[in-house]
Amino acid sequence: MVTTSYYAQEKKIKNPVRISQQKYRWGTNSREYKKLAPPMYLVDYWKKGSITVEQYTEEYYRVVLSKLNPQEVLDEIIRIFGDDATLLCFEKAGEFCHRRLVAEWIEKGTGVEVPELQF
């Protein structure tokens, strides 16, 4: 089952897959899947607090997810990384993040649940 989590938990994760533009600053053993990474300008807006959750979500869907097919993405992730891949980004569980937008997009588009790992 494909799951999601965040970089600080990476050492506990068997098959981490990075879906962010940048690596975790303390290094990471995750492999990357850039198709789902938000563009740096969107990351910068978020870090500066100059964009709302709604604006971020709308822009992320417009520039990333609307150009992809959720079933094809899920199939590719499983083919490349395995069905135990965990998609990672920076924000802690429960905080707004693009990995959960991706999970919801995959769930809605495929009917396959993509849960957040609980530690």
Side-chain angles (χ1 to χ4, degrees), residues 63-77:
V63 300
V64 178
L65 297 181
S66 70
K67 295 177 168 89
L68 301 170
N69 176 292
Q71 186 64 60
E72 290 174 5
V73 166
L74 180 61
D75 291 345
E76 187 172 55
I77 289 169

Side-chain angles (χ1 to χ4, degrees), residues 9-65:
Q9 299 296 331
E10 184 180 0
K11 291 181 181 179
K12 300 175 186 176
I13 297 168
K14 177 182 172 187
N15 190 4
V17 176
R18 177 167 53 98
I19 62 168
S20 59
Q21 288 288 348
Q22 300 174 326
K23 290 184 178 183
Y24 190 54
R25 66 178 164 220
W26 291 288
T28 179
N29 293 323
S30 60
R31 296 176 289 166
E32 68 180 15
Y33 188 73
K34 289 271 190 161
K35 285 183 181 182
L36 297 174
M40 280 308 297
Y41 75 86
L42 190 55
V43 173
D44 291 341
Y45 289 160
W46 183 251
K47 286 180 181 178
K48 292 176 186 175
S50 59
I51 192 169
T52 66
V53 168
E54 293 79 14
Q55 291 169 323
Y56 183 103
T57 300
E58 183 178 310
E59 185 69 0
Y60 181 69
Y61 268 86
R62 187 181 72 75
V63 300
V64 178
L65 297 181

